[in-house]
Amino acid sequence: MATATDRLLRRLEWQVVRRLDGRLQGAYRTLWHGAGTDFTDLRTYTPEDDVRHIDWNVTARLDEPFVRQYAEDRDMTAWLVLDRSASMRFGAAGHGKDSVSAELVVALARLLTQGGNRIGAILYDNRAHQVIPPRTGRNQILRLAHELTRPQPATGPGATTDLAAMLRLAAATTSVRRSLVFVVSDFIGDPGWDRPLGMLTHRHEVVAVRIVDPAELELPDVGLVLVEDAETGEQLLVDSSDPLLRRRLAEQVGAHEQAVTEGMRRAGVRPHRITTDQDLLRALVGLVLQSGRR
């Protein structure tokens, strides 16, 4: 009899991965490269080229921009760094941030292993973390899916998420070889995460995926409601129809959105936002295509 893990993987393979292949017609295979760095040739710069590959010595001598070309390995190691803190459990059952992020991570793992790439994962919250060493093949995806579908133990009130510690752990764990690193989080936590995120980008190709529930962006007008901080457990009874409250909340949401945007900019990372009400296939298509335009 198929387990819940098998059913999840099969559903994602049929509903997402196969359809994603059809949508992109193999284009995603050219977006993420391996770790090879053997220099092969020089050619003139075009607007689509990565400015980091410009050979400044040749450019200065010839008074025309040239880029260096490399022979790249097609296989690579990819790491999936997943924030599993209390705030990631927000949302409707089966459609909350934790469910969406789990399905996204499993679909990405299945997509990336099609070319023989190795996949590792870091599952993190303040109290505990788990490192799954990189492996290839279906068994590795099943192991990841199993860990993500296991019920998390109930925890009491605690501190806000230490995102900086999560990113430092990712940097220490992935330091052996250049890799493709996906950071999947709602980026709700203590400030100061932009610096370790920037340090991670110096070594690896980093894709930051921010998971957001629409209810976090706009409070529904439902009268008196008890709200709770998922990270600290603090509760407050509020009148959601109060115009002053709604305005102040909108200002706070706007300030947080701006802070996240600026933090990503300082780290040199373009964020990809996925909402819990978004179709997973559309989200993956956008994620893959946007990652290749950096």
Side-chain angles (χ1 to χ4, degrees):
M1 181 178 294
T3 65
T5 300
D6 290 315
R7 289 195 295 271
L8 170 63
L9 182 53
R10 289 176 184 174
R11 178 171 63 79
L12 290 175
E13 285 177 335
W14 281 103
Q15 294 182 356
V16 178
V17 176
R18 292 175 185 270
R19 292 169 61 198
L20 185 65
D21 273 340
R23 287 286 189 91
L24 298 178
Q25 298 179 337
Y28 69 87
R29 295 183 179 88
T30 67
L31 300 182
W32 297 319
H33 304 288
T37 57
D38 292 335
F39 171 72
T40 58
D41 200 1
L42 286 167
R43 63 170 174 79
T44 55
Y45 172 84
T46 63
E48 294 79 18
D49 289 325
D50 189 330
V51 295
R52 293 174 297 182
H53 295 163
I54 293 178
D55 188 314
W56 295 106
N57 292 328
V58 175
T59 297
R61 286 201 307 270
L62 300 181
D63 197 26
E64 183 180 0
F66 277 78
V67 293
R68 298 170 65 90
Q69 292 183 288
Y70 299 90
E72 296 181 297
D73 298 330
R74 297 312 302 171
D75 64 316
M76 63 181 175
T77 298
W79 284 90
L80 304 164
V81 181
L82 178 58
D83 174 7
R84 304 197 79 197
S85 63
S87 65
M88 287 291 286
R89 299 168 205 165
F90 180 84
H95 298 282
K97 292 190 289 185
D98 54 350
S99 300
V100 171
S101 60
E103 292 192 356
L104 174 69
V105 164
V106 172
L108 276 172
R110 181 65 183 87
L111 180 66
L112 289 165
T113 55
Q114 288 185 162
N117 302 308
R118 301 193 310 157
I119 303 297
I122 299 172
L123 313 180
Y124 181 92
D125 68 26
N126 280 348
R127 294 175 176 81
H129 64 267
Q130 181 180 7
V131 176
I132 301 176
R135 297 283 188 277
T136 190
R138 185 179 180 85
N139 285 341
Q140 177 75 343
I141 304 172
L142 287 170
R143 179 186 177 186
L144 177 59
H146 173 71
E147 295 297 336
L148 293 176
T149 52
R150 283 200 310 178
Q152 289 184 259
T155 56
T160 54
T161 309
D162 191 345
L163 294 173
M166 180 183 76
L167 295 167
R168 286 194 295 267
L169 173 64
T173 305
T174 62
S175 61
V176 175
R177 111 178 243 197
R178 179 173 173 82
S179 305
L180 171 63
V181 180
F182 289 88
V183 179
V184 182
S185 172
D186 54 11
F187 287 91
I188 296 175
D190 294 332
W193 48 263
D194 55 311
R195 183 175 178 83
L197 180 60
M199 294 176 66
L200 193 64
T201 63
H202 285 306
R203 175 69 177 169
H204 306 290
E205 181 178 357
V206 177
V207 179
V209 184
R210 185 173 169 225
I211 308 296
V212 177
D213 191 286
E216 296 176 309
L217 304 178
E218 184 176 0
L219 181 68
D221 186 352
V222 291
L224 288 176
V225 61
L226 183 66
V227 296
E228 178 178 334
D229 187 319
E231 301 271 295
T232 65
E234 181 182 359
Q235 294 183 333
L236 186 66
L237 184 65
V238 300
D239 182 2
S240 63
S241 62
D242 183 354
L244 178 59
L245 172 68
R246 297 179 66 83
R247 184 169 65 251
R248 291 178 60 184
L249 180 61
E251 291 172 354
Q252 291 179 358
V253 168
H256 176 69
E257 293 293 303
Q258 183 64 27
V260 171
T261 300
E262 292 179 356
M264 294 288 182
R265 179 184 54 78
R266 288 192 296 269
V269 176
R270 185 174 65 186
H272 304 271
R273 193 171 83 170
I274 294 177
T275 59
T276 56
D277 60 350
Q278 192 172 356
D279 177 73
L280 184 58
L281 175 63
R282 291 178 180 270
L284 266 172
V285 169
L287 172 62
V288 172
L289 292 179
Q290 290 175 28
S291 297
R293 299 191 187 118
R294 296 192 302 169

